[in-house]
Amino acid sequence: MQAAPLPENEEDRLRALHDCELLDTCAERGFDEIVRMATLVFGVPIALVSLVDEQRQWFKSSVGLDGCESGRDQAFCSHAILRPDEVTVVTDARRDPRFRDNPFVTAPPHIRFYAGAPLVDPNGHALGTLCLISPEPGDLDAGQRESLALLARQVVDQIAYRNAARRSAAYQRELEDHKTNLEIKVRLRTRELHRSRQEVIQALARAAEFRDDDTGHHVRRVSLYVREICLELGYDADGADRVALASKLHDVGKIGVPDSILLKPGKLTQEQFEVMKKHSDHGCTIVAHLDEDEEGVLQGHCGLGPAILGNPEYPLLQIAARIALSHHERWDGTGYPKQLAGDDIPIEGRITAVADVFDALTSARPYKPAFTFERACEILIEGRGSHFDPAALDAFFARIDAVQNIYREYRDALALTAEDAA
């Protein structure tokens, strides 16, 4: 038995073979059908798609032969790949000095006839063969050799289709992974942006609130009350959170009110009250992008807050602008700055009005002590249908247990003292 020498391009050939990722894979219909066709066309009992690896030949597909591999030094195909441009034919292996003492000749399957057409990839690498085997001597004429070579090219095409499908699947997985990673990054960035906006809104709200409330709890309590009212009115959790966050800026216009008025311990004069009312306009101005005509329409302190908040590219600020401008309006039309009435008042302003007044009543201010929880509730009820939207007020009282929990957890030291004293 003579072992075949290595091809001159052996290193590149093995690399090309391994790049196909075909070795040690499961049976595949495309290869099996070609091998079955070869046995029928050529009338032989055995046909193989044999791939010649470094130390073995491995059968991707076989008919009529048990086992899936053999040693390369025993392989007829090791000789066939040395001549990639032609079909190798052994008419009688027992008379060929290369194979006559080969164990596959002297023992089962007792090979006598062998014909192998190399499987040559587009770069000229012979990966293996499509081979025919019979225990009887035989030969192929020129037409049969061409036919076998054509079938071998079908095997090569099958390998190419398989590689293309594999690359496509890998590319698709890469795209999916990229999409997933991108979605994760977008979610994280969106979350960071949302958190940053929340922090900015909270800082702006507290900057205004600290001018007359050094705890900053007022905006937090109002926000929490607003959320409870929204949920009772049918808002989903996201919608309630959005209005609650926006409500933190309801008094941002206080930034534009002088300390002499904002911190005055006694009752304001009419002139001072007119200045104080402008905080709604101030709040609107701080949060909105308004043209000259719109700015001319705004009046009173409720206008400055919405103008600051009403960024048309950020819906949350639009809500905040509506709240800043309208939370001092009254249901009966006697509020300010525009004397809106009923449903003409934005719903967010009507909701915030209930929460804001309740918290103002239960909080100590330079000009008044804190009312008790019960007395504040009585005053709210007295304002039903005149000061407050009945639906918003009823929603507030429907959540009175939650309101009371918020009140107890976040009330200020001065309010706590007043409650205990009462």
Side-chain angles (χ1 to χ4, degrees):
M1 182 182 72
Q2 297 177 11
L6 298 179
E8 293 182 359
N9 64 347
E10 177 69 358
E11 184 176 344
D12 292 337
R13 190 193 69 81
L14 286 174
R15 185 181 301 110
L17 174 63
H18 294 157
D19 286 347
C20 291
E21 297 185 8
L22 203 58
L23 293 168
D24 301 308
T25 58
C26 297
E28 296 180 49
R29 178 179 174 181
F31 296 100
D32 291 346
E33 288 182 347
I34 293 174
V35 171
R36 179 59 180 163
M37 184 183 297
T39 63
L40 296 175
V41 170
F42 295 98
V44 294
I46 300 172
L48 309 169
V49 170
S50 172
L51 303 175
V52 181
D53 198 3
E54 186 174 11
Q55 300 293 335
R56 61 173 178 160
Q57 66 169 345
W58 180 79
F59 308 139
K60 174 59 183 173
S61 183
S62 67
V63 172
L65 186 67
D66 293 333
C68 62
E69 64 180 65
S70 70
R72 180 173 176 173
D73 58 344
Q74 301 169 339
F76 283 56
C77 296
S78 298
H79 294 268
I81 64 172
L82 296 175
R83 292 154 56 172
D85 297 330
E86 61 182 81
V87 174
T88 295
V89 177
V90 178
T91 58
D92 188 347
R94 293 184 64 179
R95 296 178 180 277
D96 191 313
R98 294 174 298 175
F99 307 111
R100 60 190 175 195
D101 58 348
N102 187 298
F104 291 123
V105 174
T106 59
H110 296 291
I111 296 174
R112 298 288 295 277
F113 167 72
Y114 168 89
L119 305 175
V120 183
D121 74 4
N123 295 315
H125 304 121
L127 308 180
T129 69
L130 171 62
C131 61
L132 311 174
I133 295 173
S134 174
E136 301 294 334
D139 199 357
L140 298 179
D141 60 29
Q144 289 175 317
R145 294 184 186 214
E146 183 178 358
S147 296
L148 183 59
L150 288 173
L151 282 179
R153 284 199 286 274
Q154 292 297 311
V155 175
V156 173
D157 288 344
Q158 191 68 30
I159 294 173
Y161 296 150
R162 185 182 185 277
N163 288 344
R166 180 169 53 85
R167 287 193 297 268
S168 177
Y171 180 66
Q172 187 63 37
R173 287 193 298 272
E174 184 178 344
L175 285 180
E176 291 297 327
D177 290 344
H178 178 71
K179 178 182 177 183
T180 299
N181 291 336
L182 187 60
E183 289 174 349
I184 291 173
K185 289 180 180 179
V186 169
R187 284 198 299 270
L188 291 175
R189 180 63 184 131
T190 300
R191 190 178 305 155
E192 291 172 0
L193 183 59
H194 181 64
R195 183 166 56 247
S196 296
R197 283 172 168 170
Q198 286 183 313
E199 291 172 353
V200 169
I201 287 174
Q202 181 67 22
L204 186 58
R206 295 185 71 181
E209 197 60 34
F210 278 170
R211 297 198 57 213
D212 64 344
D213 172 16
D214 59 9
T215 68
H217 284 173
H218 171 66
V219 294
R220 178 179 296 182
R221 289 191 300 263
V222 168
S223 173
L224 294 173
Y225 296 147
V226 164
R227 186 178 190 277
E228 295 298 329
I229 297 172
C230 286
L231 291 172
E232 186 64 29
L233 289 175
Y235 284 72
D236 61 22
D238 288 341
D241 288 341
R242 191 177 302 113
V243 178
L245 179 58
S247 72
K248 291 185 175 183
L249 292 171
H250 67 282
D251 275 343
V252 70
K254 288 180 179 179
I255 292 173
V257 178
D259 286 349
S260 60
I261 296 175
L262 187 64
L263 304 179
K264 183 178 179 179
K267 183 177 180 180
L268 299 178
T269 66
Q270 185 61 36
E271 181 180 0
Q272 290 172 333
F273 183 59
E274 291 300 322
V275 174
M276 182 64 179
K277 289 198 298 183
K278 289 182 179 179
H279 88 262
S280 298
D281 278 338
H282 296 336
C284 184
T285 302
I286 292 170
V287 292
H289 295 302
L290 302 177
D291 58 33
E292 293 181 359
D293 292 338
E294 287 172 322
E295 289 177 355
V297 172
L298 296 176
Q299 52 182 312
H301 80 267
C302 301
L304 184 54
I308 298 171
L309 296 169
N311 186 334
E313 296 180 357
Y314 189 19
L316 179 62
L317 292 185
Q318 294 178 356
I319 297 172
R322 291 196 293 272
I323 291 174
L325 187 60
S326 66
H327 73 285
H328 283 296
E329 301 287 359
R330 293 173 176 248
W331 185 254
D332 61 7
T334 62
Y336 63 90
K338 294 187 175 183
Q339 292 78 51
L340 300 177
D343 290 336
D344 289 339
I345 306 170
I347 181 61
E348 302 96 343
R350 286 178 264 154
I351 292 170
T352 304
V354 175
D356 184 39
V357 171
F358 174 77
D359 195 71
L361 290 171
T362 54
S363 300
R365 289 291 184 264
Y367 52 85
K368 75 165 190 68
F371 286 93
T372 65
F373 185 92
E374 291 74 14
R375 179 56 186 148
C377 289
E378 292 173 357
I379 295 173
L380 290 186
I381 294 172
E382 292 169 3
R384 187 179 189 276
S386 56
H387 190 155
F388 306 111
D389 173 3
L393 189 65
D394 291 346
F396 175 84
F397 281 108
R399 297 268 175 160
I400 197 64
D401 289 342
V403 167
Q404 194 160 37
N405 289 337
I406 296 167
Y407 164 79
R408 288 172 176 168
E409 182 174 357
Y410 294 105
R411 58 180 168 165
D412 300 323
L414 290 176
L416 182 63
T417 302
E419 182 84 359
D420 294 341

